[in-house]
Amino acid sequence: MFRVGIGFDIHRLEKGKKLVIGGVEIPSEYGFKAHSDGDIFFHALTDALLGAVGYGDIGQLFPDTERKWENTPSRVFLEEANRIINEKGYSVLNIDGFIVIQRPKILPYREKIIQNTAEILNIEPERVFIKGKTYEKIGEVGEGKAAFAEVVVLLKKEVKNEND
Ligand SMILES: [Zn+2]
């Protein structure tokens, strides 16, 4: 039994903030303005996992109105989403995603982002793929004022009996 999930996340970029994507702190003048660390890739992926099993969304589970999530590393959200899908008997078959940011280039950090993701989800790195893209200087994303991520996940359930 298979289930597919899709996730999207966008955050504004501001001078002097940390740029954390896929759990990797990337050297940059600009970083995410967000309640947590603003990790667009982990947020999109968390939403994709939760969506695949029909379990609310990241904003419901970790409301940004709650102080306890302030400056939370986003791996915490991803770990919780993975626990939820595992509890329902699912595991990740594969992940494919886009990280869209005008600068800096994502390619040098791609392997590390894939490793982090695989490690948190307890899967082989071969099951995770991401593409870094620019926005061709179009609009606010193209001007470096924001960055976004889009992720698709496929989950597989180990079917133990017909009534599952
Ligand atoms: Zn977010």
Side-chain angles (χ1 to χ4, degrees), residues 9-11 34 36 38-40 43 58:
D9 194 44
I10 184 164
H11 284 289
S36 64
D39 191 324
I40 47 172
H43 291 182
I58 190 171

Side-chain angles (χ1 to χ4, degrees), residues 9-143:
D9 194 44
I10 184 164
H11 284 289
R12 286 197 174 279
L13 291 162
E14 267 187 10
K15 208 166 187 167
K17 301 265 187 189
K18 270 190 201 171
L19 184 67
V20 179
I21 301 178
V24 181
E25 197 177 326
I26 298 173
S28 170
E29 248 190 287
Y30 292 81
F32 292 119
K33 176 185 160 64
H35 193 70
S36 64
D37 61 10
D39 191 324
I40 47 172
F41 181 66
F42 279 179
H43 291 182
L45 180 53
T46 299
D47 250 353
L49 292 171
L50 295 173
V53 294
Y55 197 100
D57 62 46
I58 190 171
Q60 289 174 306
L61 255 69
F62 314 102
D64 63 7
T65 47
E66 273 183 39
R67 290 205 70 178
K68 67 172 170 177
W69 305 122
E70 221 170 309
N71 302 315
T72 301
S74 296
R75 67 173 296 146
V76 171
F77 307 148
L78 192 51
E79 278 163 356
E80 178 62 7
N82 195 46
R83 193 192 60 75
I84 289 166
I85 66 155
N86 289 164
E87 206 175 74
K88 290 175 177 288
Y90 288 93
S91 59
V92 174
L93 200 60
N94 81 303
I95 294 167
D96 189 20
F98 280 115
I99 293 165
V100 183
I101 186 166
Q102 195 61 37
R103 61 184 169 273
K105 288 252 176 286
I106 291 302
L107 190 61
Y109 309 99
R110 179 160 80 180
E111 283 311 309
K112 184 67 187 143
I113 294 171
I114 289 172
Q115 269 175 33
N116 281 348
T117 307
E119 184 232 315
I120 293 167
L121 299 179
N122 200 21
I123 56 175
E124 300 92 342
E126 291 73 28
R127 293 177 187 265
V128 184
F129 196 69
I130 54 165
K131 283 92 65 178
K133 284 186 86 72
T134 76
Y135 212 50
E136 295 291 330
K137 299 190 174 162
I138 300 163
E140 290 189 313
V141 174
E143 286 165 16

